[in-house]
Structures are given as C-alpha cells and as structure tokens.
Amino acid sequence: MNRIKKKLKQSEDILSIYFTVGFPCLNDTVQIIKKLDASKVDMIELGLPFSDPLADGQTIQNSSKIALANGMSTQLLFEQLIDIRNHTDIPLIIMGYFNPIFQYGIDLFCKKCKEVGIDGLIIPDLPPEIYISDYKFFFQQNNLINIFLITPQTSEDRIRYIDSISDGFIYMVSSSSITGGENNFNKKNIDYFKRIKNLKLKTPKIIGFGISNRETFLTVNKYANGSIIGSAFIKHIQKNGISSIRSFVKGITS
Amino acid sequence: MSYNINSKGYYGSFGGAYIPEMLLHNIEELNDNYLKIINDQSFLKEFNELLKDYVGRPSPLYFSKNLSRKYSAKIYLKREDLNHTGSHKINNTIGQILLAKRLKKSRIIAETGAGQHGVATATVCALMGLKCIVYMGATDIKRQSPNVARMKMLGAEVISVTSGSSTLKDATNEAMRDWINNPIDTHYIVGSVVGPHPFPDMVARFQSVISKEIKEQLMQVEGRDYPDYLVACVGGGSNAAGTFYDYLDDKRVKIICVEASGKGINSGKSAATTKLGKLGIIHGSKTLLMQTDDGQITEPYSISAGLDYPGIGPMHANLFTSNRGQFISIDDDGAMAAGLMLSQTEGIIPAIETAHAFAIFENKKFKPKDVVVVNLSGRGDKDLENYTDYFKI
C-alpha cells in the first residue's frame, strides 16, 4: 500500500512538514528528513526549488533562491535520495512547479520517484484536467499519488469533482493567499473549514498555508485530518539551524 | 488550419491555462464572461467611443517618403505612438477596464516593464475612478523614471519589485501573487498577449483594432486592403498581435517579428526567445521561454525594458514554429542606431522597443513595389535619457 494512504489510515492529526531541498545547505536534504522522522513528524514534503514560484510568499521565494544558488537541481535531488528508503519509512511527497518537472520529462520524473521511494506529488500549476488527460498514466504506473488543491473559492461542484479523482488526501488551502501568512484564523476561515467538513468527502483533507504554531495546528485539526507547515519551519531552520528541528516539532505537537 | 486561437485556448500546441487552483476562480470568471461582454453592443459602443475621442483613433497610417527612398520599398508607419499615453498599450487597457467594471471589480492591478502599460492602466483607472496598483521591477523603475512619475501623477500606487532580476518577469510574478491574495474584488489587467488563457486572446482582440484600421487605410491609399509585409517588435507580443490579427490567415501577407537580442544572442545578455528558448510553462502559459536545462527560467536582458521578457506569447510561439512568421533579432546597438535614424530621417523619436523594428531595414531587403507596414508602437519620450546617455548628445 502507498505510504501516504497507510499513514492516513493509521493516524489522526497528521503533521506534514514542507521544506525546500538544497536549503540552507545543498546537501542537508537527507539530514533534515532523518531529523523530522526522529521527531515523529508524520509526512514530509520536499519542495523542489523554482526560479518563479508564483504561489509562494517571501520565505519560500527566498529559500528557493538560496537553494538554486547552492546548485540544487532535480537530478541532484534524486541522487541525494538514492538510499533514503534504507533509513526511513515516512511518506515522502515532492512538491514542485510544473516547468522543472516538464523539462526533466514527466515519464522519467515519475520513474525516478518510484526508484527512490517517493509516494506522491503536489504540482500546484498542473490543473487536474490537464493531469487527467495527459499525465495520469505515468503517475499510476509508478504508484504515485497526485495531490490536488482546493481553496475557499473552489465551488462545491469542483470540490466534488476533485474528491472523485483524488487519492491520498486533498490539500486544503486555508485562505485566499500565497504561502507564509502568519495570522490566526478568523471566523471566515473557520466557516470555510466547517463548510468543507460538512461535505463529508471520501478523501481525507490536510490543511496548509498560514499554519505557523501550535495554536493554528490545533485549530485546523478540529476540521481536517492534519496540517502542513512550510514557511514557519523554513524560517526556524534558517534562524536556528537544522540541529534545532526537534524543538520546533515539539513546539507544535506537545 | 487557422493561426488564431482554438476553442480550447491554444494556438497550435501553445497556450492553455497552467494555473494553480488559487487563481482558478479569477480565470474561470474571466473565461466564462469575456466573449459575452466584449461582443455586447453596449460594450462595443463605449469601447469604440473611447478609442475615438479619448485615445484619438484611428491612428494615422503614414507613408514615410524618406524611409521609402532610403530603403527602396513602400514603407508605411502605423502611428500608435500618437495614441493618448504614447503607445498601443491604451487600446488594451480601455478594453479591460470596461470589462472589469462589468465584472464589478473595484481594484485594478497591473505589471509593467517599460512603464507604458503601467501608464495606460493608471490612466484608465483615473478615468473610471478605480484603485490602481502597478508592479514594476526596481531595475525598470530606475531606467524608466518619467513613466513612474506619470503613474504617480495619475494616482496609481507603484510597487517596486526586487525579486529575481527586478524586471518585467518578476513584476508579473508579483502581480499574480497579489491576484491570489485578492480573488474577489480585483481585476488583473495583463499588458501583453501572455499569461493563462483567456488573456492572450482577450488582449489580442483589444489590440486587433490596429489591423482593422490598417485594412481600411491601405484600401484608400493602395487600392488593396493588405500589405506585402507587416513588421512589429515582440517582447510579450501585444503590438505585434494587434498588427497581425486580421491577417493571420492571409498568406499574401508576410509577417516579421523583431526580437531583442540585447548584447548579442550568445552573450548571455539577451531576450531573443525564439533563438534561445524552448517549450515550457511561464506565467500560466505553455510557450517558448528561455530557461536552463533544469527548467529554471533565466534572466533576460535588453536595453529596452519592454522587450526584457524571457518568453513570448503563445500566438507568436505558434507563428514561429509553423514558419508563418519570420523572426529577426536586433541587438541593443542596432536598435539605438535605428532610433536615431528614425528621429533624424522622419522627425519621429520612437520608443527603444519600437526602434528594434526599424533596425531590420539595414539587412532585410525589400522590392521597390513591396508595401511594408511597420507598427510604430510607441514614442520615445520616456527613453530620452537612455538615448542621450548612449549617444552622448
């Protein structure tokens, strides 16, 4: 069974951590994965850096820029992950913009993902319709789950459609914003979380964007199967180094 | 086969809408409504009246005796430089502001490179009383300061963008992020035939007034409604799209697109997308773009801020790969020399973007009977300091 599905069956209040690969240092990727795993994080999203990250705020723009300047590339990520499955069984997802994956070749990219033990992909600028018509085959062939996003503006019809084509989980964007917002959730956000919860979708939901601390983590867990933290984690390791990963995770989960 | 857009939002295999879900609401709203709105009689009436009385259309099609003699061809200049605000950009912003009003938007955002689109957007926002925010690269703010002052005078807020190379690509990223953050009340007036469908088609339709007028004007002076050649500079490609629009499928008309090669195609400082680019996704569109083997978008360079873009619109990518259009690249020096030449031969100082189009006459030979229409897309007031510094005048 795909590790994402297995994890979602076994656990509640999932904590998924996103970080940009190649940041802060080029070869930190494996160390960060091991430390997150040891800190009892449930899932990891490996952010493939892109020169023009349209949906990202300052923090992830900056970490992507540094990672690229460090020399990070798609090929290097696969090399870094070559024996990662000897060390951990944690679900691993690659999140990246479409162009670098398109240049690598979707077919080859998916094969490489399977080879190193990636479980799923999140490609924000590859719309579900184009995925279904052009690329689904390659994902299925390599046992990769493609994760789709919904936002507060997504219509109920479209949510139902996305639910019907989803496997693993639905990435629920918390508010109408790019990544890295740090406000507490207001009534509007909560109403949206409730509305989606009441749709009783077949696919589990994990909420991301704007979750930065224990308080916001606990809030979203009331309405979904878990949450994704990205910018707050990147800020933390930028300031405190990767040796302090355990204390960051503890601050969220206990 | 048509060279215009198909029902799925593609020109050949280029175009589409590769957008994150966060932008889908905005794009769908546009896509569901734009054709209905812009073909509506009340819209057309208001649009055409503003183009006539506010912009000053039709713009003249001027037979350039001096250039015609110099290069032995019949050279006509489509005088978009005489439009209100000084370039073709206003045709599109008038159209989009009327559309935005009908979609009940109260806040307008735009990206700008040379500042021509920013000024044209600030202008229509002032006219219609809508809030206007323009994203502009910090590099461009420095080299196009007269346009920054104009935008501020018109009441727009100009936000300096310092990410990437601090030019047009980065300003576009920032405008898209703003739109993600403001999905309800905001319309994004994209300035060129780039971005996700339906922007390339919508902008091309608003600019198509240029080719419609060329048809009528040529009929009067030449007794036929088509030229042998159409020439336009291409950054994103909006003035070119407007110039070619009604002639896309008319094979009697040869199409010439002029790109900026900056300091030379292989210098590492260039914006000649068809020479250096390959297929990829930029700003939501599948098109030709300059990128590394790893799919990172590379920083373009041109002395002209308006051509300093690492991609081209999907219409032009299709014109290039199908060989419908000939693409010629002109470097900084060639463009500057052509700008000076036009100034002193015809008494018209062109924008540096536009000057690229006039540089082709040095090498491209025409027959004396060839009717060549060049889109004089913008005037050079904004570039005076660049010209005078360059020529040490």
Side-chain angles (χ1 to χ4, degrees):
Chain A
M1 187 188 240
N2 182 291
R3 293 181 197 89
I4 299 170
K5 281 167 122 171
K6 199 166 150 192
K7 174 64 79 177
L8 283 155
K9 271 216 166 104
Q10 291 168 346
S11 314
E12 292 177 335
D13 299 347
I14 298 280
L15 174 61
S16 182
I17 295 284
Y18 168 100
F19 71 95
T20 306
V21 297
F23 171 90
C25 297
L26 182 61
N27 291 310
D28 282 343
T29 310
V30 171
Q31 274 308 311
I32 296 176
I33 294 171
K34 286 180 179 171
K35 284 179 193 298
L36 286 170
D37 189 27
S39 310
K40 302 268 184 290
V41 159
D42 299 295
M43 231 187 281
I44 297 174
E45 288 171 25
L46 306 164
L48 197 56
F50 181 46
S51 54
D52 295 77
L54 275 186
D56 285 304
Q58 283 290 336
T59 304
I60 294 178
Q61 285 178 45
N62 188 44
S63 62
S64 302
K65 194 173 175 180
I66 292 171
L68 291 173
N70 286 344
M72 197 61 208
S73 70
T74 310
Q75 183 56 34
L76 183 57
L77 174 62
F78 288 129
E79 286 165 21
Q80 290 174 343
L81 296 177
I82 197 83
D83 64 349
I84 194 69
R85 286 305 175 199
N86 297 333
H87 303 285
T88 174
D89 214 29
I90 193 168
L92 292 173
I93 296 169
I94 292 180
M95 182 164 185
Y97 289 85
F98 189 43
N99 197 52
I101 298 172
F102 183 73
Q103 294 310 322
Y104 197 85
I106 314 290
D107 187 3
L108 181 61
F109 188 89
C110 290
K111 280 187 184 132
K112 281 279 183 185
C113 282
K114 185 182 183 180
E115 218 173 284
V116 300
I118 296 293
D119 305 292
L121 295 174
I122 304 172
I123 309 173
D125 55 346
L126 176 63
E129 293 80 0
I130 301 177
Y131 162 75
I132 297 278
S133 69
D134 297 354
Y135 303 117
K136 189 179 165 187
F137 171 77
F138 303 117
F139 284 61
Q140 287 187 331
Q141 202 180 32
N142 295 291
N143 194 24
L144 287 171
I145 291 177
N146 193 22
I147 309 290
F148 302 107
L149 280 65
I150 62 170
T151 80
Q153 268 69 49
T154 311
S155 67
E156 184 177 335
D157 281 356
R158 187 168 174 82
I159 293 172
R160 299 266 178 218
Y161 164 69
I162 287 172
D163 187 36
S164 76
I165 60 169
S166 285
D167 208 358
F169 65 91
I170 290 174
Y171 191 134
M172 195 172 147
V173 177
S174 68
S175 53
S176 310
S177 73
I178 54 177
T179 58
E182 271 194 28
N183 299 325
N184 284 332
F185 293 119
N186 58 27
K187 184 172 178 304
K188 221 168 103 185
N189 301 122
I190 302 294
D191 286 348
Y192 158 63
F193 299 159
K194 282 184 186 161
R195 175 166 62 86
I196 303 303
K197 190 178 182 184
N198 289 335
L199 293 177
K200 307 208 180 313
L201 304 177
K202 74 168 175 64
T203 317
K205 302 165 300 288
I206 301 189
I207 299 182
F209 286 42
I211 297 150
S212 58
N213 52 28
R214 179 167 171 77
E215 195 189 343
T216 41
F217 174 71
L218 292 177
T219 304
V220 301
N221 285 343
K222 285 185 218 158
Y223 307 98
N225 304 69
S227 50
I228 300 160
I229 298 181
S231 297
F233 177 73
I234 289 168
K235 268 187 205 160
H236 182 87
I237 59 172
Q238 183 159 30
K239 194 172 161 204
N240 305 296
I242 63 171
S243 60
S244 70
I245 286 177
R246 185 182 291 267
S247 72
F248 177 85
V249 177
K250 267 195 156 177
I252 304 289
T253 54
S254 58
Chain B
M1 194 190 76
S2 171
Y3 293 93
N4 213 325
I5 198 152
N6 69 23
S7 60
K8 290 183 173 159
Y10 285 82
Y11 299 86
S13 53
F14 304 100
Y18 290 76
I19 47 162
E21 196 67 27
M22 292 78 99
L23 277 176
L24 186 95
H25 169 77
N26 286 324
I27 294 296
E28 251 187 354
E29 186 184 25
L30 261 189
N31 207 9
D32 292 346
N33 292 295
Y34 84 108
L35 288 178
K36 204 167 45 194
I37 290 175
I38 69 180
N39 289 316
D40 178 72
Q41 284 308 312
S42 79
F43 178 94
L44 286 170
K45 184 166 181 283
E46 206 178 344
F47 182 56
N48 290 329
E49 279 174 8
L50 283 169
L51 286 187
K52 177 169 172 279
D53 298 329
Y54 188 72
V55 176
R57 301 203 73 94
S59 69
L61 184 71
Y62 167 68
F63 177 68
S64 167
K65 272 190 196 143
N66 296 334
L67 283 191
S68 295
R69 196 179 309 119
K70 186 173 162 76
Y71 295 115
S72 51
K74 295 171 89 172
I75 300 174
Y76 288 89
L77 311 183
K78 183 58 175 163
R79 298 292 308 273
E80 293 297 302
D81 61 316
L82 294 177
N83 291 341
H84 180 41
T85 74
S87 80
H88 69 290
K89 291 289 187 189
I90 189 96
N91 304 328
N92 169 46
T93 60
I94 296 262
Q96 287 205 48
I97 199 85
L98 295 178
L99 181 97
K101 274 183 71 181
R102 282 160 172 80
L103 292 173
K104 308 224 176 337
K105 304 292 179 181
S106 57
R107 182 175 173 273
I108 298 294
I109 56 172
E111 86 295 339
T112 198
Q116 292 300 92
H117 175 59
V119 168
T121 303
T123 299
V124 297
C125 286
L127 179 67
M128 297 296 171
L130 295 183
K131 188 176 163 57
C132 180
I133 293 125
V134 179
Y135 290 92
M136 187 167 186
T139 306
D140 293 339
I141 285 181
K142 267 184 228 142
R143 60 178 164 172
Q144 301 285 323
S145 58
N147 274 344
V148 177
R150 290 165 81 196
M151 286 185 269
K152 289 183 177 165
M153 182 83 186
L154 291 159
E157 183 186 348
V158 181
I159 298 182
S160 172
V161 176
T162 53
S163 57
S165 59
S166 308
T167 62
L168 181 55
K169 156 177 97 79
D170 313 291
T172 308
N173 288 338
E174 219 45 60
M176 289 208 164
R177 290 184 186 116
D178 181 308
W179 214 20
I180 288 175
N181 287 334
N182 297 284
I184 306 293
D185 64 346
T186 299
H187 177 68
Y188 177 12
I189 301 191
V190 172
S192 193
V193 287
V194 300
H197 178 68
F199 278 110
D201 182 47
M202 183 168 72
V203 176
R205 284 169 189 265
F206 289 142
Q207 293 293 358
S208 69
V209 63
I210 300 172
S211 67
K212 285 187 179 64
E213 289 177 4
I214 292 173
K215 273 193 151 176
E216 287 170 18
Q217 291 164 326
L218 272 183
M219 193 55 162
Q220 284 174 15
V221 289
E222 287 290 331
R224 58 168 161 128
D225 68 355
Y226 66 95
D228 297 298
Y229 291 90
L230 288 168
V231 183
C233 64
V234 174
S238 71
N239 91 75
T243 306
F244 307 155
Y245 197 86
D246 276 22
Y247 297 109
L248 281 172
D249 296 327
D250 184 345
K251 292 289 184 61
R252 296 171 300 184
V253 181
K254 296 178 193 72
I255 284 172
I256 298 176
C257 300
V258 187
E259 291 184 309
S261 60
K263 293 189 184 299
I265 286 170
N266 298 315
S267 66
K269 297 197 97 186
S270 178
T273 305
T274 62
K275 303 286 188 299
L276 298 166
K278 56 186 173 179
L279 186 65
I281 313 292
I282 183 169
H283 298 137
S285 180
K286 188 186 253 185
T287 187
L288 295 173
L289 61 131
M290 291 164 48
Q291 54 185 314
T292 65
D293 290 341
D294 199 39
Q296 307 299 337
I297 298 173
T298 49
E299 308 293 356
Y301 165 82
S302 164
I303 194 167
S304 69
L307 303 184
D308 202 347
Y309 187 70
I312 49 172
M315 174 199 282
H316 304 301
N318 189 44
L319 293 177
F320 174 72
T321 52
S322 65
N323 290 318
R324 173 70 183 96
Q326 181 188 1
F327 281 69
I328 296 176
S329 46
I330 295 295
D331 65 12
D332 287 355
D333 294 336
M336 295 306 268
L340 190 66
M341 178 280 292
L342 188 68
S343 303
Q344 300 187 353
T345 310
E346 279 295 346
I348 299 170
I349 302 174
I352 298 175
E353 290 77 14
T354 310
H356 284 74
F358 286 90
I360 67 159
F361 291 105
E362 284 301 312
N363 290 311
K364 172 98 184 162
K365 295 298 167 223
F366 296 93
K367 295 191 213 86
K369 279 191 172 173
D370 282 343
V371 173
V372 182
V373 176
V374 186
N375 188 353
L376 214 174
S377 55
R379 60 181 176 239
D381 309 32
K382 69 183 178 65
D383 294 316
L384 273 187
E385 204 178 312
N386 295 319
Y387 278 129
T388 52
D389 284 356
Y390 181 90
F391 290 111
K392 314 228 175 337
I393 296 172

